[in-house]
Amino acid sequence: MRVRLGKMSDCAGLLGATGPVGIHLTKELIQKLSSEKPDERSEHQIILFVRSPQKIPEDVIFNPLIKVVNAQLSDIAKLEEALEGVDAVLSALGPSV
């Protein structure tokens, strides 16, 4: 999987970040943004909207690019607040079990 996040996308929001696909996608985004020159990446941020932050691997959750918002998708006000100003929203949501 290749992630393309251009210069216009300074802030990306990710839904479903704690599943296998979401974790892989988050790591790809971190790798892509971390490979940029320091002056180009200073404004980048990845917002993970999750209901179970304990499922996020340590190498992801402690990365300075990451901001974790712990809430349910049904909390529309919290979702709107978390994604305000986001340039791109990515979804790795799977079916509920």
Side-chain angles (χ1 to χ4, degrees):
M1 177 186 307
R2 292 282 182 233
V3 176
R4 293 183 189 353
L5 192 60
K7 289 187 179 203
M8 291 186 66
S9 297
D10 292 327
C11 187
L14 181 57
L15 310 176
T18 57
V21 173
I23 290 169
H24 181 77
L25 182 57
T26 302
K27 289 182 177 185
E28 285 279 330
L29 285 167
I30 289 170
Q31 182 179 15
K32 165 69 175 148
L33 296 176
S34 296
S35 68
E36 293 182 356
K37 296 175 187 173
D39 59 322
E40 292 177 349
R41 69 173 181 238
S42 61
E43 299 299 318
H44 288 309
Q45 186 173 40
I46 304 165
I47 298 172
L48 306 181
F49 193 88
V50 301
R51 66 176 180 216
S52 303
Q54 70 276 10
K55 293 181 181 179
I56 302 171
E58 286 187 13
D59 63 326
V60 171
I61 202 164
F62 293 118
N63 188 289
L65 294 172
I66 298 296
K67 175 184 176 187
V68 176
V69 177
N70 183 13
Q72 297 287 327
L73 278 174
S74 58
D75 187 343
I76 302 302
K78 189 80 165 181
L79 182 61
E80 287 177 344
E81 179 184 335
L83 299 180
E84 186 174 338
V86 167
D87 298 301
V89 176
L90 307 168
S91 176
L93 294 171
S96 296
V97 180

